[in-house]
């Protein structure tokens, strides 16, 4: 697997460690830590949370891919916490869904 640039790795780390389960109902940036949160509130299901995470991965990856011709969306998605459901087919082969989430850019 390709290694990521320093900035891509930092962004992937932030995406992976963020609590996305209530991202639809609150905006408190990178400081959010539900373990010490006193507000509570509605939370997404695990599947819904994964959809939010994947959309964030694709949005950030789009910008990184446009900046770096050697960028690997697959390596980035894995580092950002994408689950195997998004990365592999049922038979264990890599699927193309990760790559399909990026817009083609005109050169």
């Amino acid at each position: 697997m390709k290694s990521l640039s320093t900035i891509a790795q930092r962004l992937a780390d932030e995406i992976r460690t963020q609590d996305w389960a209530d991202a639809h109902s609150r905006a408190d940036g990178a400081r959010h830590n539900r373990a010490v949160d006193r507000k509570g509130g509605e939370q997404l299901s695990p599947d819904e949370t994964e959809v939010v995470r994947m959309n964030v991965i694709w949005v950030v990856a789009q910008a990184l891919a446009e900046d770096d011709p050697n960028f690997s969306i697959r390596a980035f998605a894995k580092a950002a916490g994408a689950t195997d459901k998004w990365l592999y087919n049922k038979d264990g082969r890599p699927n193309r869904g990760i790559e399909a989430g990026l817009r083609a850019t005109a050169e």
Side-chain angles (χ1 to χ4, degrees), residues 29-47:
R31 298 175 301 128
H32 180 54
N33 181 349
R34 199 164 10 115
V36 296
D37 184 9
R38 292 176 289 184
K39 291 184 181 180
E42 181 185 348
Q43 294 179 14
L44 299 172
S45 71
D47 286 341

Side-chain angles (χ1 to χ4, degrees), residues 54-90:
M54 282 309 306
N55 278 308
V56 171
I57 288 170
W58 278 316
V59 168
V60 173
Q62 184 69 45
L64 290 168
E66 290 173 7
D67 189 57
D68 179 0
N70 297 314
F71 177 75
S72 168
I73 177 60
R74 186 161 294 278
F76 180 73
K78 191 168 190 163
T83 62
D84 286 353
K85 167 184 152 184
W86 293 94
L87 296 166
Y88 302 102
N89 293 326
K90 290 181 182 179

